[in-house]
Structures are given as structure tokens and as C-alpha cells.
Amino acid sequence: MTEPLSPHRPSQPLSSAASLHSQIQASREADRDCRDNYREPWFPRALVTRWGVRFGIFVSLCVILLPGLWVMLNAFRTNVSILARDNIFAASTYTLDNFRNIFGYGDVAAIPVRQYFTNSVIISVSSTVIAILIGLAGGYAFARYKFRFKNALFVSLMLSRAVPGIALSLPVFIIWSWLGLIDTKFGTILVYVAMNVPFSVWLIDGFFRQIPKELAEAAEIDGCTRWQAFWQVEFPLAKSGVASAGIFAFLTAWNEFALASQLTRSTDTKTLPVGLMDFTAQFTIDWAGMCAMAVIIIIPALILTFIVQKHLIAGLTLGGVKG
């Protein structure tokens, strides 16, 4: 005989389901209570992080710009007030006598600033133009053509730039003495060209690598020569890199002191940074005159940087991405 079904047997699975359901409900209620009891912090964490980063950048910029500010302010003070450590922000101590003396309108013997400025412009512009022309040819060759020992030559070129310039001052001085290039503009220009070519090649090479080869090939199919395809298609796309390399090369030549102080002797060849040494004597230093001349050195570099600022930013962000 079959055993009749007991009415109490289904109660066990039903009780398990009810227990699971009650646990889920309890968990949901606990989560709801946690959300109800949670309080947002009194400060937004993202806002504090953002302003903390900004404050850190501001402090870093203050530390970096502090020497420049010191030079700018002391350029309008007398040497006596600088040595006496008077209040640097006192407007009563400011004067234009330092600039008058530099240009020969004061009581102090004039420094040949005009000649130094002319020498700096000639040497910086000439070395920059030559370095950019060589860098343009070299960067394009490394980016577009395949030849033997290409990678080895590129690495060697970059390693040559890694050597500090001051470490080369003695061998350069000896070789230039043999060649009769000491105290000549041409000798200084040649050194600056050698310093700026590796960086120019590297930066321009990175830009040309980003330009598709198909653009020049399409221009050649349309009837352009290889030279026309380069100047009319590829060069306009890489002009930001060329401008960036040019401004860096110019600033390097404009501000360089160590090698120029070894290679130049007379007024006809000294650059502005080397001319700063004219304010030093055996026992004294004309800090006020030196700061005034430093301001004259800084102003052209700042003007040029602001003019090519757009190309400079593009060169730093886009150049050298692909290797």
C-alpha cells in the first residue's frame, strides 16, 4: 500500500526559503540604515586635492622665480643699498642710474653693452640658423630613409649631446688655439652649432615620424617633385617642431657662458653673459650693474619665448612621441 502524503513534509523547504528571504530583507535594511546614517565629510575630497596640487605648483614656481625677482628688483637699486641689505621692497631705494651707467649716460665708465648685444645677436642667430638647417636635414633623413648604421649613428649623436659642455672646454680650447679660432665669432658659432645639432635632429625627427609618408607620395603622384612635396606638404606640418628646436637652440646660444668665456677675449667677440664679468674687480663686485645687465639679457629671451609660445608648447607635447 502506498503511504499517504504527510501534510507536514513541504514545511521544511518552505521554511528554508522563508529564512533566506528574511536574511535578504535584513541585509537590505542594514544597508539602508548604513546609507541613512552615513554623513558626507564637511569638505569635498576632490576639491581639497585639486587646490593642494595648485598650492604645491604655486610654491614651486615661487622658489623657481625668486632668483629672477631678486635680480629684477636689484637692477633698480644702488650697489650701496644692496651691500647694506636694505629693504628690497622699499620704493625709495629704486633708481635708473644703473642703466644710465651701462649705456654711458652716467658718471661711471660705460660698459660696451651695444657691442656685446650685437655680438650675442650675430652669434646666436647664426648658430641657430645653421643648426636648424642641419637638424632639419638630419631629422628628415632619420625619419624617412633607411641606411646602414642608422640606429648606431642616431644613438651616437644623442650621446654626444649628453656630454656636459664644460667638460669639453679644455679640448675645444686647445683645438681652437691650433686652428686660430680663439677670439673669433666664427669659432664661437661653430661650437654652438655642434651643441645644438643633436637636440634639433632628435626633436625634428620626432615630428617627421608623425607625418604619414602617404601625404608626400600622394603629392608626388599629383606631379610634385620630391623637393616640392617636402616644402609644400611635409614642412608646414612639422613647422612647430622646427620652431621649438629653433627657440631652444637660440636660448642655448644666448645664455651660454662657460664656453664663451674661454673662447672670447676682446670687445668685438664677447657676448652679453661674458660681459657680466666686466662688473667684477679684484676686491669688489658691482652687483647693481650686473643685475641691470642681466635684465637686458633676459628681456629679448622673454620676448622671443612669448612670440613663439604656441609653437613651443606644440613642440614639447607632440615631438619625440614615436621613436
Side-chain angles (χ1 to χ4, degrees):
M1 296 179 60
T2 59
E3 184 178 354
L5 296 175
S6 175
H8 301 288
R9 282 186 180 179
S11 63
Q12 188 171 2
L14 290 176
S15 61
S16 299
S19 175
L20 180 60
H21 180 72
S22 62
Q23 291 178 3
I24 294 174
Q25 288 294 111
S27 177
R28 289 178 177 176
E29 292 178 359
D31 293 340
R32 191 180 302 111
D33 293 339
C34 290
R35 289 194 299 269
D36 294 339
N37 296 329
Y38 176 76
R39 294 182 179 179
E40 291 287 342
W42 63 274
F43 59 89
R45 190 170 303 174
L47 181 62
V48 171
T49 303
R50 182 168 62 252
W51 280 101
V53 172
R54 292 178 178 177
F55 179 76
I57 295 175
F58 174 77
V59 172
S60 301
L61 287 176
C62 289
V63 173
I64 294 172
L65 297 177
L66 185 61
L69 178 62
W70 186 88
V71 170
M72 293 286 292
L73 294 178
N74 284 326
F76 298 94
R77 302 173 65 201
T78 62
N79 202 45
V80 175
S81 62
I82 294 175
L83 296 177
R85 298 183 180 181
D86 294 337
N87 184 9
I88 194 172
F89 297 103
S92 59
T93 61
Y94 293 160
T95 179
L96 294 175
D97 291 342
N98 299 322
F99 295 95
R100 296 192 186 99
N101 294 332
I102 287 177
F103 290 102
Y105 298 105
D107 300 330
V108 183
I111 302 295
V113 177
R114 294 184 182 90
Q115 184 62 43
Y116 292 163
F117 184 84
T118 303
N119 298 338
S120 293
V121 171
I122 293 174
I123 293 174
S124 300
V125 173
S126 301
S127 62
T128 299
V129 171
I130 298 173
I132 291 303
L133 291 177
I134 299 175
L136 188 62
Y140 187 81
F142 280 113
R144 286 289 184 262
Y145 298 103
K146 295 181 180 180
F147 48 88
R148 295 184 61 185
F149 308 112
K150 173 182 174 180
N151 294 332
L153 183 60
F154 188 82
V155 172
S156 301
L157 194 64
M158 295 301 103
L159 290 178
S160 66
R161 188 62 182 89
V163 179
I166 190 63
L168 301 175
S169 59
L170 181 58
V172 168
F173 180 81
I174 295 174
I175 296 173
W176 261 228
S177 298
W178 291 344
L179 298 175
L181 296 177
I182 295 295
D183 201 23
T184 62
K185 293 186 180 71
F186 177 75
T188 309
I189 291 172
L190 197 60
V191 171
Y192 290 164
V193 169
M195 290 176 56
N196 291 320
V197 163
F199 180 81
S200 301
V201 170
W202 172 77
L203 188 59
I204 296 174
D205 168 74
F207 268 80
F208 278 119
R209 288 180 184 271
Q210 296 181 17
I211 301 174
K213 297 180 181 179
E214 291 76 11
L215 294 178
E217 294 174 355
E220 292 181 17
I221 293 174
D222 291 338
C224 291
T225 63
R226 193 70 188 89
W227 186 256
Q228 291 174 337
F230 170 76
W231 281 111
Q232 298 179 11
V233 177
E234 294 179 297
F235 179 77
L237 297 176
K239 63 181 180 180
S240 296
V242 177
S244 300
I247 184 62
F248 277 109
F250 178 84
L251 292 179
T252 300
W254 182 264
N255 297 320
E256 205 280 327
F257 170 79
L259 291 174
S261 63
Q262 301 295 325
L263 300 177
T264 58
R265 294 286 186 271
S266 63
T267 304
D268 295 333
T269 58
K270 281 185 178 181
T271 58
L272 284 171
V274 181
L276 291 172
M277 297 301 297
D278 291 353
F279 294 96
T280 61
Q282 185 176 3
F283 300 106
T284 60
I285 298 177
D286 185 4
W287 292 108
M290 187 177 292
C291 291
M293 191 166 178
V295 171
I296 297 175
I297 298 174
I298 293 172
I299 289 176
L302 287 178
I303 294 175
L304 183 61
T305 303
F306 280 115
I307 292 175
V308 298
Q309 182 179 9
K310 180 178 67 175
H311 298 294
L312 184 63
I313 295 174
L316 292 175
T317 55
L318 297 179
V321 176
K322 295 183 179 179

